[in-house]
Amino acid sequence: MPYRRTPKTQARLDSQRGEILAAAIALLAETGYAGCSMAAVAARAGVGTGSVYRQFPSKADLVVEVFREVVSREVDAVEAAASQGDVRERVVAVIETFAGRALKAPRLAYALLAEPVDAVVEAERLVFRRAFREVIARNIADGVTRGLLPPQDAEATAAALVGAGAEMLVGPLAGDGGPDTIPHLVTFTLRALGGSDGV
């Protein structure tokens, strides 16, 4: 007869999984991908390394789960930012929110956007970019349909904006940038949409 976990055992394992993920997020924010070892995560979570491996077979599996958790929060934040204003204001709000949140947690954002990672984590990074692209594309398509933006391929413009935003943030996230990053991104965004520099 196969072993079945009791509800109490499952609840304990779920709680431990949450603690491990929280520890991994904190470590990623402090030390980046390179410093987020399974042993370091275990120590931060106050569990044995074996407990981490029981929940996540490898570091890549753990970090993929971390990416999913963090990215879902970030996508929720940009979705909320894009809920008000006209089309240009909504797209600008996405860019400002994305960049502003990244600059407040630069080490974590650098790990999410640019740090060398395992292939499986890199694949998750593409999912991350696609999620932001879809939020922007949806708003651009709405603007084109309503005649508020010039005709354009909403997906292509959104992909270019996400790519440009990520590239512009790499320097500042690595400590090599000035305070004008977000204003420059906003100007670039408005020009890419086919509008003037003022919202």
Side-chain angles (χ1 to χ4, degrees):
M1 178 181 223
Y3 167 73
R4 288 187 181 173
R5 292 174 179 161
T6 65
K8 185 175 180 181
T9 299
Q10 188 60 53
R12 182 180 57 77
L13 289 171
D14 290 345
S15 174
Q16 185 180 76
R17 184 180 182 88
E19 290 164 5
I20 290 167
L21 282 171
I25 291 168
L27 271 173
L28 206 62
E30 290 172 14
T31 65
Y33 184 75
C36 190
S37 70
M38 298 294 261
V41 170
R44 174 64 67 95
V47 299
T49 305
S51 295
V52 178
Y53 278 105
R54 274 192 291 281
Q55 296 278 1
F56 303 96
S58 70
K59 174 181 172 177
D61 291 316
L62 172 59
V63 176
V64 162
E65 192 66 29
V66 166
F67 266 49
R68 288 177 183 157
E69 179 144 333
V70 173
V71 168
S72 69
R73 292 182 205 163
E74 297 305 308
V75 171
D76 287 347
V78 298
E79 288 273 18
S83 64
Q84 307 261 337
D86 68 26
V87 161
R88 287 185 179 86
E89 289 169 339
R90 292 197 311 264
V91 174
V92 164
V94 169
I95 297 297
E96 287 178 327
T97 302
F98 171 72
R101 289 172 67 88
L103 292 170
K104 284 179 184 170
R107 195 66 195 85
L108 179 60
Y110 184 76
L112 292 172
L113 290 170
E115 187 173 2
V117 293
D118 292 329
V120 66
V121 180
E122 184 64 42
E124 201 62 31
R125 184 177 279 161
L126 296 177
V127 174
F128 171 46
R129 287 186 177 214
R130 193 176 307 124
F132 285 101
R133 187 187 72 213
E134 287 170 3
V135 175
I136 296 171
R138 191 168 57 245
N139 284 286
I140 293 172
D142 178 53
V144 171
T145 299
R146 292 165 55 201
L148 301 172
L149 292 176
Q152 59 194 286
D153 182 322
E155 288 285 335
T157 302
L161 287 172
V162 170
E167 183 63 27
M168 278 191 73
L169 285 170
V170 169
L173 294 177
D176 181 25
D180 296 331
T181 301
I182 294 177
H184 288 323
L185 264 174
V186 168
T187 298
F188 175 80
T189 298
L190 291 168
R191 290 174 180 170
L193 294 174
S196 63
D197 291 355
V199 174

